[in-house]
Amino acid sequence: MNNTFLSQFLMMTNLYSVGMVIILVGLFFIINKMSKKFKFTKLMIISIFIGLALGVFIQLVAKFPDNPGEITWINEVSTWYGLFGNGFMDLLKMIVVPLVLVSIIRVIMNMKEDNLGKLTFKSMFMFFATTAMAAIIAVIVAKIFNLGSSSIQAVSTSEELREITSLPDTIRGLLPSNPVKVMADGNTVAVVIFASFLGLAIRRLSKKYLDIIKPFMDFVEAFYKIIVSVAITVIKLMPYAVVPLMASTIASRGVKSLLDVVDFILALYISVAIMFVVHLVIITLSGMNPLTYIKNASKALILAFTSRSSLGTLPVTLEVLTENMDVDSGTASFVTSLGSNMGMNGCAGIYPALVSVMLANMAGVEMNFTFYVMLIIVITISSLGIAGIPGTATMSVSVVISGMGMGAYFPLAGAIIAIDPILDMGRTMLNVNGAMAASIVVDSSMKKENKKERKIA
């Protein structure tokens, strides 16, 4: 069973490939049956464990190989599983840009101009502040674990230092010079800027030309209702996507590769857990019960963990914030859209801090107080403009270690890069949690200010 049709088109050259796809389809039927008995959140959690068990089972059948990527049938299974898992993420990404565009236009055309400035300032402050906190936590954890001093070996890697973009060019890249292109690229910050200009123009023109622009305002309201309905329809497919996403990640990376860098994995997930608690404290101070938050946020967090895409999770994040947490739809859209491209606590905060300390230990770089202060500053500034899709954390690391003068040591991180998807799951979940925490804080602050203004008036 090894010809072009089977190997390149059908992607099934082995009975194992056929069997694993049949097992996945069978699990879909089981999930469909369970969906009638369990609530959505419980079904999502069950799906994670099913996917984890399936991934380990694939590894067991393959006899836990050192390099799963060299086994043809595992690659074929991952490709078929990607049809369902990544296909679902493609559907979510399909609605991200129109959802962000119409949501921002809708809220801006009804918002006071000074409120827009306050909203922008508060959002960016929250993202920069939490990213700095995440980096500090990661540095402390990295020092406790003494990353890079002994357990992680220097290995060769095909990864190269990513091309670094200067800060002015990064900021300029966020401007929508071509609105159609930035929409196609998924640059949500640029989409927010473009939508803000449209919203401001609509509000300004409505004073004199309301009759003329009223049809467009009605169109925005109608389209918003439609795109939200589409999002809800797609979101209902989540449990079916979680299983193949989780299984494929475990199967393609292998259990053995995780054991080689177990200390780094532990350091990252401990850092993520600590920063998650910090988010809960911030949320509690904003007046929300942390247990209620966790219960309501679980849908978005589970998808972020399994999909590894902050941007792809955006429609679910918005639904959770507006439907379950009573966050203003405009505030939620604005803050989370920014959070999909900047201030990512996991990918742009914790991860580059851990890698930097690890590389410094491996290369014998002196780490004094000045080193740590500089590292936090570089991480915080470089968190601007990091795209919310899988793989961009490597870009963040490139920027940070280059800023610290350690770019030549990038190849030493080969063992870490090899298991990046496992690390990316926790990082992305924290990214999304940080965006939701920022949305709740900003929304609470904006509502308090509006109440004070109404009392004064």
Side-chain angles (χ1 to χ4, degrees), residues 226-273:
I226 293 170
I227 201 66
V228 167
S229 179
V230 173
I232 292 173
T233 300
V234 174
I235 289 169
K236 289 180 180 178
L237 301 174
M238 277 176 59
Y240 300 94
V242 166
V243 173
L245 283 169
M246 192 73 185
S248 181
T249 300
I250 299 298
S252 61
R253 293 297 156 180
V255 176
K256 192 174 180 61
S257 63
L258 307 185
L259 299 177
D260 294 336
V261 287
V262 66
D263 55 346
F264 190 94
I265 297 173
L266 286 174
L268 183 132
Y269 276 92
I270 288 173
S271 300
V272 167

Side-chain angles (χ1 to χ4, degrees), residues 19-58:
M20 294 304 172
V21 172
I22 292 174
I23 289 175
L24 179 63
V25 174
L27 289 173
F28 285 162
F29 280 105
I30 294 174
I31 291 173
N32 182 56
K33 293 290 184 181
M34 289 192 297
S35 65
K36 300 172 183 178
K37 298 180 180 180
F38 295 98
K39 292 184 178 179
F40 191 87
T41 301
K42 289 183 179 180
L43 187 62
M44 288 289 293
I45 295 173
I46 292 172
S47 296
I48 280 188
F49 285 103
I50 292 175
L52 177 62
L54 180 57
V56 173
F57 177 70
I58 293 172

Side-chain angles (χ1 to χ4, degrees), residues 390-402:
T392 52
T394 306
M395 171 63 80
S396 181
V397 169
S398 297
V399 174
V400 171
I401 63 174
S402 294

Side-chain angles (χ1 to χ4, degrees), residues 178-446:
N178 185 335
V180 176
K181 185 177 185 300
V182 297
M183 290 180 193
D185 293 341
N187 186 342
T188 53
V189 174
V191 173
V192 168
I193 294 173
F194 178 62
S196 298
F197 275 106
L198 291 178
L200 290 169
I202 291 170
R203 194 182 69 244
R204 184 172 61 250
L205 292 173
S206 63
K207 298 176 181 178
K208 292 184 179 180
Y209 306 103
L210 182 60
D211 293 340
I212 298 175
I213 66 173
K214 187 66 167 60
F216 184 79
M217 296 173 69
D218 292 338
F219 168 77
V220 170
E221 293 289 349
F223 189 66
Y224 176 77
K225 293 289 184 183
I226 293 170
I227 201 66
V228 167
S229 179
V230 173
I232 292 173
T233 300
V234 174
I235 289 169
K236 289 180 180 178
L237 301 174
M238 277 176 59
Y240 300 94
V242 166
V243 173
L245 283 169
M246 192 73 185
S248 181
T249 300
I250 299 298
S252 61
R253 293 297 156 180
V255 176
K256 192 174 180 61
S257 63
L258 307 185
L259 299 177
D260 294 336
V261 287
V262 66
D263 55 346
F264 190 94
I265 297 173
L266 286 174
L268 183 132
Y269 276 92
I270 288 173
S271 300
V272 167
I274 295 172
M275 191 61 202
F276 192 91
V277 173
V278 172
H279 286 161
L280 291 182
V281 172
I282 294 172
I283 290 168
T284 303
L285 294 175
S286 296
M288 182 174 291
N289 186 304
L291 296 179
T292 302
Y293 168 80
I294 292 174
K295 179 181 178 181
N296 292 332
S298 58
K299 183 194 299 186
L301 296 179
I302 289 172
L303 178 60
F305 185 80
T306 52
S307 69
R308 302 166 28 235
S309 174
S310 302
L311 188 60
T313 310
L314 186 56
V316 183
T317 306
L318 286 173
E319 185 205 33
V320 165
L321 287 170
T322 56
E323 298 295 328
N324 300 345
M325 303 185 194
D326 197 31
V327 175
D328 179 77
S329 61
T331 302
S333 300
F334 189 89
V335 179
T336 54
S337 297
L338 288 179
S340 295
N341 279 85
M342 66 172 292
M344 296 183 179
N345 294 178
C347 290
I350 286 175
Y351 186 58
L354 291 176
V355 173
S356 296
V357 173
M358 182 193 74
L359 293 181
N361 273 329
M362 294 176 74
V365 176
E366 181 184 358
M367 290 183 284
N368 50 30
F369 180 76
T370 303
F371 175 91
Y372 295 122
V373 172
M374 186 64 183
L375 179 60
I376 303 303
I377 293 174
V378 171
I379 287 174
T380 304
I381 295 176
S382 67
S383 68
L384 179 67
I386 300 297
I389 54 177
T392 52
T394 306
M395 171 63 80
S396 181
V397 169
S398 297
V399 174
V400 171
I401 63 174
S402 294
M404 296 299 295
M406 299 190 298
Y409 308 131
F410 184 77
L412 300 180
I416 301 303
I417 294 171
I419 49 97
D420 187 73
I422 302 298
L423 304 172
D424 202 26
M425 298 166 83
R427 293 189 316 234
T428 306
M429 183 189 70
L430 190 67
N431 293 341
V432 172
N433 197 65
M436 288 195 288
S439 298
I440 292 168
V441 172
V442 172
D443 181 65
S444 176
S445 177
M446 295 292 290

